[in-house]
Amino acid sequence: MTITTTQQPATVSVTVGDQDITFETGKLAKQADGAVVVRSGETMVLSTATGRMEAREGADFFPLTVDVEERMYAAGKIPGGFFKREGRPTERAILTARMIDRPIRPLFPKGWHYETQLVCQPMSVDHVHPYDILAMNGASAALMISPLPFMGPVGAVRIGLIDDEFVINPTLVELDEDSKLDLVVVGTQEGLTMVEAGAQEIPEERLLEALDLAHAEIRKLCEVQEDLRRQVGKPKWLDPELTAEIEREQSDRIRQRIQSEGLREAAAAVEEIAAGLAPPLTIDSSEEDIVRQVQVRSSLDLILERLRVEAVTGPVREQFGDDLRALTEAEQDSKQLKSAKRHLLFDRIIETVELSFPVGPATVEGEGPIVKDAMTRQFVKKAAEAIYKDLVRKKIAVEKRRPDGRGTDEIRAIECEVGVSPRTHGSALFTRGQTQIMTLLTLGTAKEGQRIDDLSLESERRYMHHYNFPPYSVGETGFM
């Protein structure tokens, strides 16, 4: 379900380096929860954000999807090959989607399990201004004006180094021909959240200068996005003040229901509270009534998740804290043995932990349940994993010891071997502990280069590096 409002187009602009970047909303993709067109020169990217109002059933993660949809028409090209309709995403589109995802994902509330999708589509590419930086800023701006509870904004800039001078958002030609540095930096008003770089041996102090320069420009981008939100932003589906108020007034009621009826039945208390705080919708309900109901239900979902975890964490820590700590101390064990012990311990915790509330439906005779229901088992496992993770983190951060016993200044033994495969043009095996990389090389003539058919300036590639991660490398089965 999507709330739509009629709004006039709104435009804000900011100068980053010597280029103007413009954000416009209200003209395209009006049914998306947030849609922003970002322009620099004649490069234009449409970024949209859409979410579901209901949490995904059984999800214990944030289901965020980022799609970058390159289309050749944006650069006035027709795709090469027999099929003229674009298929799978290009390598550049996949990498851009990852750069959008990484800094944005942590800025959603913990426990937010509502499906969210970001789609960035280059509409026009002038081969001067790279579209990836615009897509990253556009995704943040679309989330800012949407009702999704994004705790941003974030800004993204690229820093180049030409003739020993830093250049903010260099052109594609400058990047390809002149720049010794390709540094992409993303951050908030307060700090940097992602850095990705390729460089020709840049001194560390120069790189720090580039980060400071990037953050100054990022602050400008964050400010202009805040300005856009103030103009046309929609009410958020999750109101932190409302969540705090409901938790303060209703958490004891939910705790009591957990203690008397169990984790699953506590959802009934949430429904009762929701009905009291946000009456059911009718044919006469206004948009404010819909927003109020979504905010109340979102807040209650987060509070219920938190209280369910709280209810099982204490007993698990009290009864199995020593066992979990002993697991982190087994430094002499191999990775496989440690993994097997961890699975066995978690299974034992799930089966034998004693909880002070009903752990499943009552039997016919009215006695307590014999086995835990699926929800209780899920939250017990979640609590055990959280406690174990906290113990491992403290061991590394406080005791300065890694799980395998190494100190912070120790590395595993490294071995390098060449000539592993006798009939290839080149081969090498790199081994560090149980991590191995096998590289096989084939040489060819210049005419065997790869033709590049995307929105970049690159037309031919003579060096191809293909990376494979087979499932057996981590001891698992799966698709190749």
Side-chain angles (χ1 to χ4, degrees), residues 25-291:
T25 186
K27 186 174 182 180
L28 298 179
K30 297 184 179 183
Q31 293 198 59
D33 291 319
V36 174
V37 174
V38 189
R39 289 185 175 88
S40 182
E42 293 185 352
T43 296
M44 166 183 169
V45 179
L46 170 64
S47 298
T48 62
T50 311
R52 293 177 65 100
M53 286 188 176
E54 306 85 20
R56 182 187 287 186
E57 185 69 27
D60 59 354
F61 63 96
F62 173 34
L64 171 65
T65 304
V66 180
D67 292 302
V68 174
E69 298 292 323
E70 281 192 355
R71 293 294 180 264
M72 301 299 287
Y73 58 71
K77 293 182 179 180
I78 295 176
F82 182 78
F83 295 102
K84 297 303 180 184
R85 185 178 182 89
E86 286 96 343
R88 57 170 294 175
T90 65
E91 183 179 288
R92 192 175 303 274
I94 293 171
L95 294 176
T96 302
R98 291 176 182 172
M99 287 197 294
I100 294 170
D101 185 296
R102 286 201 299 269
I104 282 176
R105 186 178 290 272
L107 295 179
F108 278 81
K110 188 175 182 180
W112 182 259
H113 298 155
Y114 292 61
E115 197 161 344
T116 303
Q117 184 176 31
L118 300 176
V119 179
C120 298
Q121 191 169 350
M123 308 295 288
S124 174
V125 172
D126 62 8
H127 285 151
V128 176
H129 305 87
Y131 78 80
D132 54 356
I133 294 297
L134 302 186
M136 296 163 74
N137 286 298
S140 172
L143 286 168
M144 287 300 293
I145 66 172
S146 77
L148 294 160
F150 175 57
M151 298 181 290
V154 298
V157 298
R158 173 178 272 111
I159 304 294
L161 183 63
I162 301 173
D163 297 331
D164 208 36
E165 295 291 332
F166 290 122
V167 178
I168 300 168
N169 286 348
T171 66
L172 283 172
V173 173
E174 289 173 333
L175 275 176
D176 287 347
E177 298 179 0
D178 305 320
S179 182
K180 293 183 178 180
L181 173 68
D182 183 2
L183 174 69
V184 176
V185 187
V186 185
T188 64
Q189 288 271 18
E190 292 74 30
L192 303 181
T193 57
M194 190 201 77
V195 175
E196 184 157 314
Q200 298 178 15
E201 298 186 12
I202 305 298
E204 185 175 322
E205 54 273 11
R206 291 289 278 160
L207 198 59
L208 293 174
E209 289 179 36
L211 294 177
D212 289 337
L213 177 63
H215 197 202
E217 302 300 319
I218 284 169
R219 289 193 182 98
K220 296 181 188 177
L221 289 160
C222 290
E223 289 169 3
V224 78
Q225 291 179 53
E226 287 283 7
D227 185 23
L228 188 64
R229 182 192 61 80
R230 284 189 289 269
Q231 293 183 41
V232 296
K234 300 174 184 176
K236 295 295 183 181
W237 288 345
L238 187 65
D239 183 347
E241 293 182 3
L242 177 63
T243 302
E245 178 185 339
I246 294 175
E247 187 167 19
R248 188 168 54 251
E249 297 176 357
Q250 304 293 341
S251 58
D252 288 342
R253 180 176 172 182
I254 299 174
R255 284 193 185 95
Q256 291 170 6
R257 186 66 67 92
I258 290 175
Q259 290 300 316
S260 62
E261 300 182 23
L263 300 183
R264 183 176 295 277
E265 299 305 318
V270 167
E271 292 297 325
E272 294 166 8
I273 295 170
L277 296 176
L281 300 177
T282 67
I283 197 68
D284 298 321
S285 296
S286 65
E287 187 170 310
E288 288 74 17
D289 296 330
I290 297 175
V291 171

